[in-house]
Amino acid sequence: MNNAYKKEVRFTIIMSALLLAAGNVGLFFSIFPVEGTLFGFPIMYIVPILFGWFGIFFLTIVASKLGNHIDQEIERENTLQEDQKQEGA
């Protein structure tokens, strides 16, 4: 198995966990309610919105950039392997 494939599997697992955690921040705040305000809004409402909407948006952008980089690395390794096979044959 290529190193890039291992990197992609690790990346997928980590991003899945981060997206799951960011999307469920509201659930954490409903289990452990918090008093106070942030930007004039109650913390238990604004933090889940910020993490849920904007957190997911940011993580999606990061995932797409890193995913494209890993895909290019996989493509480069596959091309290198094909070249090595053709030279050996």
Side-chain angles (χ1 to χ4, degrees):
M1 187 180 218
N2 293 339
N3 189 27
Y5 286 111
K6 290 178 185 177
K7 198 181 292 186
E8 184 175 26
V9 169
R10 191 176 323 120
F11 166 75
T12 302
I13 292 170
I14 291 170
M15 284 309 296
S16 297
L18 288 174
L19 287 166
L20 189 64
N24 289 305
V25 169
L27 178 64
F28 300 137
F29 275 86
S30 67
I31 294 172
F32 307 107
V34 176
E35 296 294 324
T37 59
L38 179 68
F39 305 125
F41 297 100
I43 289 178
M44 65 184 298
Y45 299 123
I46 192 67
V47 171
I49 289 171
L50 293 175
F51 274 95
W53 293 351
F54 301 116
I56 294 290
F57 177 69
F58 175 73
L59 285 174
T60 303
I61 291 171
V62 169
S64 66
K65 297 284 185 188
L66 290 176
N68 286 338
H69 178 71
I70 292 172
D71 286 342
Q72 289 173 354
E73 196 172 320
I74 288 173
E75 183 81 23
R76 188 172 41 247
E77 283 186 9
N78 286 341
T79 305
L80 210 114
Q81 283 182 349
E82 288 176 12
D83 290 345
Q84 288 175 350
K85 284 182 183 177
Q86 289 177 357
E87 287 177 4

